[in-house]
Structure formats: structure tokens, C-alpha cells
């Protein structure tokens, strides 16, 4: 007898199929089969059978439910898949022969190990043929449909997505289009399907239709979810607008035997994608256009990304470099200009690192990311090691002196717009979780000050607690934002730690001035409001504030007021003078 989960819950002996009627035993069977081979606790089973409001006699009722299910097994001759009572709960053992879910997973795993893309695609189609519609449609358990069915559906969508990737890689654009038209309409929020459809249209020579499909999806995201397209889709749109050839689709792993080591040229270095990258659409488009235009030209191109600590400078630079790396013969390289202690690295040390990491400097210009520059002079000393190509610099400082002497353009990052904050939270936590409590999602973004680092940390903490209501998580965060905007397993991902590091890189008098400004009654103020206060004892309060703005710790400035971001303001109020230990100059 074979159990079926990938469709209506049922049992089949090969010739006849019994579709179970909605009942508590059916709920129990579905919960056991989903976790076949593992101990399923009694508490979990009770929740899957009766929901969150369980009867007072739920434990005894569960035993009765198990008894009824065993009688059903006996009635239909199920002898080789018994329900076992084990300490703490129950277990059912099923393999690929007795459960379609196990068969599906086994087949997908075997397909991934295929050495030929056509074979992998054929094996995936066999695996997907096991699905007989929406899973467990005859199971009346809200808990199962809330907690378990979405995971099963996601497994199927991943396999379908992989199949479409293979069709694109094999050049079967017509077949891919037939499938993707239906998939994008059935799953409008699944961005990868939409990306594949647009790519298939473009590769088929239907550029106008591809761009029109992109615009439809962009409008849908804006109107329904309040977010923008993914970074990958924006990069695809940019390529289509330029009329660029997308080249041969990426060959699936194992599709071709490995070439002898001597015949394989060493690849140009590439930067990995940035996990969860969202927002900054305008900056990405501008940087991609400026840096990617005629990437093999000889004259250097320089772009500067500056802004406050944790505002996302490195993420933006790495994302752009990842998108454009294959357009530079020498690849893309990222090197930090400061050490772990915040001290600037010597130019000779940076140059030696760049020389060691470039496989063939004669291959052509590279896209070089100089991350976290301390000042203009440090960058000037490093630039001779950059060679041709383009240079993308990140710094908390505006580096106006460098731009004046060496040219370039500056991109100053501000906190996210509300839409960008929502997009980041949705990408990490899932649009479904945010849709369940949109007010809490908006409140979370506000509590984080729309600050990218704070948003990412908060989202990561909530992601590890999928059952925690979003509103409860926001209330917990609001009790002590600075302490809780940190990840215990990664000390570097901490808002307080990042801000403390930024403060230690300032001269002592400037650090004191920042703490004073952060403790003013209002987050917006003018130079006259600071005159004579600690750190502003000299004659020029505006000059001190300008230095703080240049260091990325203040926003705006003359002719309007200076402003302190709310998280920096909270940090300044929490930090005492005795705790500030600026790095000594050497």
C-alpha cells in the first residue's frame, strides 16, 4: 500500500486509490507522514489534529485517534507501515515505495547528481509527475495548512524552478515559455519565475514583450506589496534596455566533463552576491551605468559611496561589483583599507594583497572596490596599485579632497525609504509573514530608523523565531533596541558595536562633541545650539559639526539644521564620556 500526500490524502494499492474523508484520523495521518521516519511529539500531533484550541482531554483523545487510524490500516491491508508508539509521541516509517513524498525527494536528489542536463531535466519531470494537485486538500487542519503545506509547496516550486533553469540552459526557450506563462500567473509573488519568463522572452528575440512583462511585474509589486523588483530583475532590465547579449545561459553543474587543468585558464576573480540585497535601485542603476560603460577603457573611473556606519555602503559596492564583474577582463576585487582595529592599512600592504589576488594583471582592467577608506590621503597612496579599469570606494567620510584632486562622483547613502525597508524585511522574513501584520512590519521599520544594518539584524533575529508573532517581536525589540539589535553568534553584527567602533576612530575632542550633539533635546539643531558645550569649546562650533558630518555621524547641515539619526542619538545618550576610548593616532 502506498500513501499519497502530494495531492488529496489517500492510499493506493496500484489499482485502486482510497481518498480519505476529512476527519481527525486523517489529520493525524497527514502529520505523521509529513515527518515520516522521525519521532513526532504528542504535543505537536495534538496541535495538528485539533488546532491551537485543544480539548481538555486532548492526550486521551489522541490515543483514541491513533486507535481509529490503526483500525483503518487493518481494514485496507496496510501491514508494512505501522504506527509506532515511542516515548514522547508516535512514529511512522515509510520509504520511496510506500510514500510519494519520500519518492519525490529521492528523485529530486538523484536528479541533482545527474551528469547530463537532459538527464537531469527528465528525472525532474518524473519527480514532478508525482504531484496530483494541491497537497492535502481533503485534510481539514488549519494548523497543517498553515505550518506544513507551504513547505511542501515550496519544495515543488524549487524543483519546477530548477527545471525551467535547465530548459533555459539547454536553449529550449519555447518549451520554457509555455510553462512559465502559467507559473507566473499561478504564483505572481514568485519573483524567480517572472525573471525566467522575462529572460526566455528576451532570449527568444522578443525584447518588447520582455520589457512589457517586466513593467507589469514592477507595477504589481508596487501596487500589491509596496516593494520593487529584485536586484537580479533590475540587472536583467538594464541589460535588456541596453540591448546586450546575455551570452550562453549558464551551463548546469556536471553538464560537461572537466577539462584538463593545463587547458583551463585561471578565471578572473569574482565577488559573491550579497545575501538579501534590496533597495538602492537608483544608486545601483547609476553606478552600473557609469562603471560598466566601456569597461576596457584605459582612463580610470572613480565612484565614491559614503554615509553613516551601517548604512549599507559595502553591501551596495559589493552588489554592483558582483553584477558588473564579468564585464571587466581582470574581474572584480574587494579589499579593505582598514584593519580590524580601525587603523588604516599601509598602501604597500594593500598593493601586495591586490597583486597576489589578481591571477593575470595583464589580462585587462579590473573593477576594484576599496572598502572603508580612512581618508583621502590613504586612497591617493593606494590608487597607483589599481591599474586600469574602475575604482569603487566606500568611506564614512565624503573625501571631498580626493574628488577635487583625482576626480570622480559621490553617492551619499541615506536611511532606507519606507518601501525599501519593507522590501528588505519581506526578502528575509517572507512577504506572507509581513502581510499577516502590516502595522507591526511598519512599526519594526520605524523602530529601526529605516537603518539597513538594524533592519537586517532585527529580521535575522525574527527569522530564527518563525512562530513568534511579529507584533510581539517588535515590542520586545522596543524595550531595549541597542542591546537587542545584535546577533549573539556574530559579535560583528551589532549596532552598538559598529557605532562604538566608529566613535573610537574619531579624535577625542570630536568624539566628545558627537556625544554632546546626540544628547541635545532635539535631533535637529544648528551650530548656535552647541556653542560652549563640551567638545565645542573652541570658537567654531560649525567647523566641529562639519567634521562630524564628514565622518558620517550627522546628516544635512547648512543652510538647514544638522540632524542625528535616532539610533545614533540613542547610542550617544547611552554612552558616557568615560566609556569612549578613541584610537590613538600613530
Amino acid at each position: 500500500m502506498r500513501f499519497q500526500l502530494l495531492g488529496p490524502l489517500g492510499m493506493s494499492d496500484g489499482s485502486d486509490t482510497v481518498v480519505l474523508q476529512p476527519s481527525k484520523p486523517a489529520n493525524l495521518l497527514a502529520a505523521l507522514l509529513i515527518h515520516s521516519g522521525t519521532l513526532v511529539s504528542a504535543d505537536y500531533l495534538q496541535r495538528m489534529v485539533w488546532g491551537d484550541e485543544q480539548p481538555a482531554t486532548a492526550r486521551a483523545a489522541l490515543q483514541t485517534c491513533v486507535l481509529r487510524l490503526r483500525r483503518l490500516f487493518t481494514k485496507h491491508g496496510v501491514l508494512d507501515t505501522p504506527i509506532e508508539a515511542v516515548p514522547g509521541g508516535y512514529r511512522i516509517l515509510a520509504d520511496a515505495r510506500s510514500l510519494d513524498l519520500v519518492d519525490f525527494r529521492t528523485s529530486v536528489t538523484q536528479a541533482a547528481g545527474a551528469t547530463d542536463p537532459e538527464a537531469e531535466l527528465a528525472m525532474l519531470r518524473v519527480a514532478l509527475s508525482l504531484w496530483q494537485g494541491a497537497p492535502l486538500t481533503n485534510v481539514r487542519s488549519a494548523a497543517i495548512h498553515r505550518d506544513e503545506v507551504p513547505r511542501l509547496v515550496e519544495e515543488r516550486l524549487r524543483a519546477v524552478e530548477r527545471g525551467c533553469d535547465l530548459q533555459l540552459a539547454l536553449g529550449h526557450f519555447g518549451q520554457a515559455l509555455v510553462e512559465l506563462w502559467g507559473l507566473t500567473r499561478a504564483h505572481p509573488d514568485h519573483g524567480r519565475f517572472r525573471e525566467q519568463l522575462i529572460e526566455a522572452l528576451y532570449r527568444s528575440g522578443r525584447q518588447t514583450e520582455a520589457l512589457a512583462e517586466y513593467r507589469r511585474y514592477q507595477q504589481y509589486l508596487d501596487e500589491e506589496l509596496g516593494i520593487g523588483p529584485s536586484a537580479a530583475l533590475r540587472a536583467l532590465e538594464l541589460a535588456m534596455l541596453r540591448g546586450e547579449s546575455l551570452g550562453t545561459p549558464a551551463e548546469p553543474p556536471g553538464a560537461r566533463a572537466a577539462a584538463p587543468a593545463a587547458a583551463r585558464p585561471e578565471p578572473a576573480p569574482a565577488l559573491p552576491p550579497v545575501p538579501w540585497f534590496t533597495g538602492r535601485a537608483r544608486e545601483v542603476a547609476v553606478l552600473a551605468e557609469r562603471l560598466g560603460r566601456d569597461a576596457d577603457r584605459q582612463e580610470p573611473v572613480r565612484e565614491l559611496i559614503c554615509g553613516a556606519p551601517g548604512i549599507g555602503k559595502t553591501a551596495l559596492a559589493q552588489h554592483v561589483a558582483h553584477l558588473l564583474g564579468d564585464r571587466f577582463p581582470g574581474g572584480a576585487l574587494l579589499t579593505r583599507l582598514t584593519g580590524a582595529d580601525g587603523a588604516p592599512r599601509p598602501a604597500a600592504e594593500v598593493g601586495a594583497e591586490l597583486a597576489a589576488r589578481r591571477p593575470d594583471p595583464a589580462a585587462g582592467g579590473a573593477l576594484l572596490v576599496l572598502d572603508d577608506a580612512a581618508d583621502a590621503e590613504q586612497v591617493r597612496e593606494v590608487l597607483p596599485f589599481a591599474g586600469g579599469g574602475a575604482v569603487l570606494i566606500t568611506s564614512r567620510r565624503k573625501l571631498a579632497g580626493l574628488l577635487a584632486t583625482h576626480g570622480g562622483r559621490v553617492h551619499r547613502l541615506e536611511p532606507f525609504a519606507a518601501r525599501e525597508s519593507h522590501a528588505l524585511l519581506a526578502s528575509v522574513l517572507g512577504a506572507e509573514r509581513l502581510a499577516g501584520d502590516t502595522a507591526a512590519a511598519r512599526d519594526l521599520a520605524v523602530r529601526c530608523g529605516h537603518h539597513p544594518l538594524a533592519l537586517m539584524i532585527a529580521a535575522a533575529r525574527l527569522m530564527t523565531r518563525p512562530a513568534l508573532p511579529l507584533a510581539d517581536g517588535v515590542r520586545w525589540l522596543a524595550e531595549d533596541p541597542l542591546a537587542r539589535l545584535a546577533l549573539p553568534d556574530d559579535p560583528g553584527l551589532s549596532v552598538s558595536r559598529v557605532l562604538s567602533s566608529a566613535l573610537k576612530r574619531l579624535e577625542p575632542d570630536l568624539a566628545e562633541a558627537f556625544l554632546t550633539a546626540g544628547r541635545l533635546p532635539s535631533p535637529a539643531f544648528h551650530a548656535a545650539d552647541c556653542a560652549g558645550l563640551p567638545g565645542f569649546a573652541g570658537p567654531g562650533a560649525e567647523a566641529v559639526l562639519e567634521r562630524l558630518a564628514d565622518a558620517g555621524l550627522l546628516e544635512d547641515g547648512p543652510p538647514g539644521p544638522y540632524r542625528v539619526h535616532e539610533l545614533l542619538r540613542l547610542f550617544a545618550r547611552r554612552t558616557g564620556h568615560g566609556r569612549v576610548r578613541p584610537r590613538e593616532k600613530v
Side-chain angles (χ1 to χ4, degrees):
M1 186 68 71
R2 180 180 173 90
F3 293 101
Q4 297 175 341
L5 284 178
L6 308 181
L9 179 63
M11 299 181 293
S12 172
D13 63 0
S15 57
D16 295 320
T17 299
V18 176
V19 176
L20 301 185
Q21 295 299 311
S23 64
K24 295 296 188 291
N27 295 356
L28 173 62
L29 178 59
L32 287 169
L33 289 173
I34 288 171
H35 298 281
S36 171
T38 61
L39 164 65
V40 187
S41 70
D43 290 340
Y44 170 86
L45 290 173
Q46 289 167 202
R47 191 168 69 254
M48 294 299 106
V49 173
W50 286 280
D52 296 330
E53 297 183 4
Q54 302 170 20
T57 58
R59 186 58 61 95
L62 178 62
Q63 295 174 353
T64 301
C65 206
V66 170
L67 180 60
R68 291 175 59 190
L69 196 53
R70 284 172 172 161
R71 289 173 178 167
L72 181 67
F73 280 17
T74 301
K75 175 182 176 181
H76 292 284
V78 179
L79 305 176
D80 55 353
T81 316
I83 300 173
E84 302 175 350
V86 292
Y90 296 88
R91 176 174 58 204
I92 193 169
L93 299 176
D95 55 22
R97 294 172 300 173
S98 56
L99 179 59
D100 58 359
L101 177 60
V102 176
D103 192 3
F104 170 74
R105 289 171 173 167
T106 301
S107 298
V108 169
T109 300
Q110 291 174 345
T115 58
D116 176 78
E118 291 281 11
E120 181 182 356
L121 181 59
M123 294 168 72
L124 277 177
R125 285 172 172 161
V126 171
L128 289 166
S129 70
L130 297 170
W131 286 77
Q132 302 299 314
L136 305 176
T137 51
N138 55 332
V139 173
R140 302 292 188 264
S141 167
I144 287 178
H145 284 278
R146 179 194 65 208
D147 298 342
E148 300 295 351
V149 168
R151 300 179 189 180
L152 298 177
V153 172
E154 184 61 28
E155 287 189 57
R156 175 183 176 272
L157 293 181
R158 284 202 302 267
V160 173
E161 182 182 303
R162 175 59 181 160
C164 292
D165 278 337
L166 287 166
Q167 290 188 65
L168 291 174
L170 292 165
H172 300 167
F173 305 134
Q175 296 176 21
L177 282 172
V178 171
E179 190 167 1
L180 287 165
W181 279 120
L183 287 168
T184 53
R185 274 53 185 173
H187 306 279
D189 297 334
H190 197 95
R192 178 58 185 150
F193 286 151
R194 194 70 65 128
E195 182 182 341
Q196 290 170 322
L197 173 60
I198 295 169
E199 181 179 346
L201 285 168
Y202 186 70
R203 288 186 183 279
S204 301
R206 298 156 68 174
Q207 180 187 30
T208 302
E209 292 176 71
L211 287 168
E213 184 64 24
Y214 177 88
R215 299 286 177 252
R216 279 193 291 270
Y217 187 47
Q218 185 180 42
Q219 182 179 7
Y220 167 79
L221 291 175
D222 181 48
E223 295 178 353
E224 299 297 326
L225 302 176
I227 62 176
S230 68
L233 266 174
R234 293 195 300 271
L236 179 58
E237 180 209 20
L238 190 62
M240 293 190 300
L241 288 172
R242 293 172 174 172
E244 296 176 352
S245 171
L246 300 183
T248 303
E251 193 168 49
R256 185 178 298 173
R264 188 187 304 121
E266 188 171 3
L271 288 177
V274 180
W276 314 114
F277 185 88
T278 54
R280 310 297 189 198
R282 183 182 64 81
E283 290 85 355
V284 169
V286 171
L287 285 167
E289 194 277 330
R290 289 176 177 169
L291 292 167
R293 186 196 307 146
D294 300 327
D296 58 350
R297 58 179 174 253
Q298 295 302 311
E299 69 274 13
V301 179
R302 301 184 181 96
E303 302 287 331
L304 169 66
I305 302 172
C306 63
I311 206 69
K313 302 180 292 296
T314 302
L316 173 60
Q318 182 174 332
H319 175 70
V320 171
H322 170 72
L323 292 178
L324 299 179
D326 60 356
R327 303 195 61 191
F328 287 81
L333 291 169
L334 183 149
T335 187
R336 285 188 59 83
L337 296 188
T338 52
D341 60 351
R345 296 176 62 195
E349 178 183 310
V350 174
E353 177 186 316
L354 293 174
R357 291 172 59 195
R358 290 191 64 179
D360 184 7
L367 173 55
L368 179 60
V369 179
L370 300 178
D371 187 39
D372 197 18
D375 53 38
E377 185 57 31
Q378 183 194 28
V379 180
R380 291 190 189 104
E381 294 176 353
V382 170
L383 283 178
F385 298 100
V391 179
L392 183 54
I393 306 160
T394 76
S395 178
R396 294 170 186 173
R397 299 186 178 277
K398 299 175 183 177
L399 304 186
L402 174 70
L403 300 177
T405 59
H406 286 67
R409 299 177 179 87
V410 62
H411 310 266
R412 183 166 179 83
L413 299 188
E414 303 292 344
F416 274 161
R419 178 179 299 176
E420 293 176 308
S421 296
H422 184 92
L424 175 59
L425 294 173
S427 68
V428 179
L429 299 175
E432 299 83 1
R433 189 171 181 186
L434 267 60
D437 196 341
T438 55
R442 287 193 298 269
D443 191 20
L444 176 59
V446 171
R447 297 282 185 182
C448 292
H450 299 285
H451 189 276
L453 176 64
L455 287 163
M456 176 56 70
I457 292 172
R461 297 203 72 151
L462 290 169
M463 182 171 58
T464 62
R465 296 167 172 83
L468 178 68
L470 200 57
D472 291 348
V474 176
R475 282 192 291 270
W476 175 79
L477 174 68
E479 292 173 1
D480 193 352
L482 284 181
R484 291 169 180 172
L485 284 173
L487 298 183
D489 61 339
D490 191 339
L493 287 175
S494 162
V495 170
S496 289
R497 186 183 181 96
V498 168
L499 297 183
S500 294
S501 175
L503 203 60
K504 290 176 182 178
R505 289 167 64 170
L506 298 179
E507 297 173 1
D509 59 340
L510 202 58
E512 184 179 37
F514 167 72
L515 294 178
T516 298
R519 289 195 290 265
L520 290 172
S522 171
F525 50 85
H526 293 83
D529 300 317
C530 304
L533 296 177
F536 296 91
E542 183 173 305
V544 175
L545 292 174
E546 280 296 294
R547 291 171 65 196
L548 289 174
D550 180 64
L553 297 176
L554 295 183
E555 303 166 7
D556 300 328
Y562 293 93
R563 300 178 184 276
V564 184
H565 188 277
E566 189 55 37
L567 284 178
L568 274 72
R569 192 163 177 252
L570 178 60
F571 171 76
R573 295 199 301 268
R574 286 279 188 93
T575 304
H577 295 294
R579 293 176 57 193
V580 182
R581 306 171 75 179
R583 177 180 57 82
E584 294 183 0
K585 294 187 121 181
V586 295

